[in-house]
Amino acid sequence: MTQTTAQLTHTTAQRTATPRHYLMCPPTYFDVVYAINPWMDPSSPVDTAKAIAQWEALRAAYEARGHRVDVIDPEPGLPDMVYAANGGIVVGGRALAARFTHPERAAEGPAYDRWFDTAAAAPYGRLGEAVETMEGEGDLLLIGKLLLAGTGFRTTPAGHAEVAERLELAEQGIELVPLELVDPRYYHLDTALSVLDDGAVSGETLVAYHPEAFSPAAQETLRRLFPDAILVGADDAAVLGLNVVSDGLHVFLSDRARDYADALKERGFVPVGIDLSEIFKGGGSVKCCTLELRPTTTEETQR
């Protein structure tokens, strides 16, 4: 598949932006000094000043559209800490910090856990670090009453089970849906699938995904759950175009994912192209830089 397409039958719901609360980490110490995914090349130099400017542009784009952005202090020796989405998961006001697969990133879990013990994180109940391997919103994407849970390269099935228990998903009426990833380029779920609309306002839950990133069984699950999904082709997937953040109307994505942006427009969204070419060198884009903080109530989101 080389083109990005929508399914043949679909509706165009009324899209509405809702305010979100995000956590980000500036790329002060960002660099590619090791290779733990196919995108990383330590021989390719990183322009730190450019990476910071690109990150600032993403933060400004969120704030210009009414979203709250908190910032965690970066720590020396943790070049991938900029990928805040991997730092944990927050659902229903409960915050669980990550436990990473690779030792190079192991100290990031405690760093994000410490942030959840600060005054800025007061609305969120700190649960500490995961015991099992679990890489946060890299592999765990909430859409309505479903928590889509990637596995195959990073987060383990045992990590899924721990998340379900410690976040009390059943008590919140949330079902965890495992999805197996099979292409090492798309090692996290958020590199292969976008959550576009959770249905809270529009009544339509909508995702986009690159089918070839998933096992046959996972593809069947996605077809069953999201028959109206946007299918994203190889070209846009390969620029990490699916690594997006959506507020229900605006979709913040790589400015290089042009076919995908056109498909989003057709479905009533407003694409906001972001240049993260330096941060891409580490194997991440918009969503990787953004951890969504979900409090218990809507009122807290608007604080």
Side-chain angles (χ1 to χ4, degrees):
M1 176 184 291
T2 59
Q3 297 295 317
T4 297
T5 62
Q7 301 285 50
L8 293 178
T9 60
H10 63 78
T11 60
T12 300
Q14 181 64 42
R15 308 296 176 195
T16 303
T18 57
R20 310 295 173 107
H21 184 189
Y22 300 132
L23 180 64
M24 300 179 68
C25 180
T28 308
Y29 305 108
F30 174 65
D31 200 354
V32 179
V33 295
Y34 47 75
I36 58 173
N37 68 56
W39 308 100
M40 302 178 87
D41 179 2
S43 69
S44 179
V46 170
D47 185 331
T48 303
K50 184 176 180 181
I52 292 172
Q54 291 176 344
W55 181 91
E56 291 284 4
L58 175 60
R59 176 185 180 182
Y62 290 149
E63 293 178 334
R65 290 159 182 85
H67 304 302
R68 172 182 167 184
V69 178
D70 279 346
V71 176
I72 182 174
D73 291 334
E75 298 191 8
L78 298 179
D80 282 345
M81 197 172 164
V82 64
Y83 300 125
N86 305 158
I89 179 170
V90 185
V91 175
R94 301 172 68 84
L96 182 63
R99 183 171 295 273
F100 286 85
T101 299
H102 295 287
E104 292 89 342
R105 301 192 67 183
E108 293 180 44
Y112 279 92
D113 182 46
R114 287 191 294 273
W115 186 86
F116 286 115
D117 197 32
T118 64
Y124 309 102
R126 177 191 181 200
L127 299 177
E129 296 174 67
V131 175
E132 303 292 343
T133 303
M134 183 278 289
E135 297 202 355
E137 281 198 326
D139 276 324
L140 299 163
L141 299 177
L142 185 68
I143 177 166
K145 290 298 184 179
L146 299 176
L147 183 63
L148 306 180
T151 190
F153 297 102
R154 301 293 181 87
T155 302
T156 63
H160 293 171
E162 181 183 6
V163 165
E165 178 182 356
R166 296 184 66 184
L167 294 183
E168 299 181 353
L169 296 185
E171 290 82 351
Q172 298 183 64
I174 297 172
E175 176 188 359
L176 187 144
V177 180
L179 297 168
E180 183 184 11
L181 298 161
V182 295
D183 187 328
R185 293 175 299 171
Y186 309 111
Y187 55 94
H188 276 149
L189 182 63
D190 69 356
T191 65
L193 184 145
S194 307
V195 170
L196 299 173
D197 195 329
D198 62 11
V201 177
S202 69
E204 176 193 46
T205 55
L206 183 65
V207 304
Y209 63 95
H210 179 52
E212 288 81 359
F214 295 91
S215 69
Q219 290 184 44
E220 178 56 35
T221 297
L222 289 168
R223 284 192 294 267
R224 173 176 56 82
L225 292 174
F226 307 107
D228 212 24
I230 297 173
L231 304 183
V232 172
D235 292 345
D236 283 353
V239 294
L240 297 182
L242 281 154
N243 194 242
V244 315
V245 168
S246 173
D247 63 17
L249 172 63
H250 307 101
V251 179
F252 305 86
L253 78 165
S254 168
D255 61 355
R256 294 189 284 174
R258 296 184 179 90
D259 289 339
Y260 184 22
D262 289 342
L264 289 168
K265 292 176 186 176
E266 292 175 3
R267 302 298 286 270
F269 294 98
V270 177
V272 181
I274 304 290
D275 177 10
L276 289 179
S277 56
E278 287 303 303
I279 291 171
F280 176 87
K281 292 176 180 178
S285 188
V286 174
K287 175 57 189 168
C288 286
C289 292
T290 314
L291 175 61
E292 183 167 353
L293 308 178
R294 302 176 183 86
T296 304
T297 66
T298 302
E299 287 75 19
E300 287 175 337
T301 305
Q302 299 173 339
R303 286 175 59 167

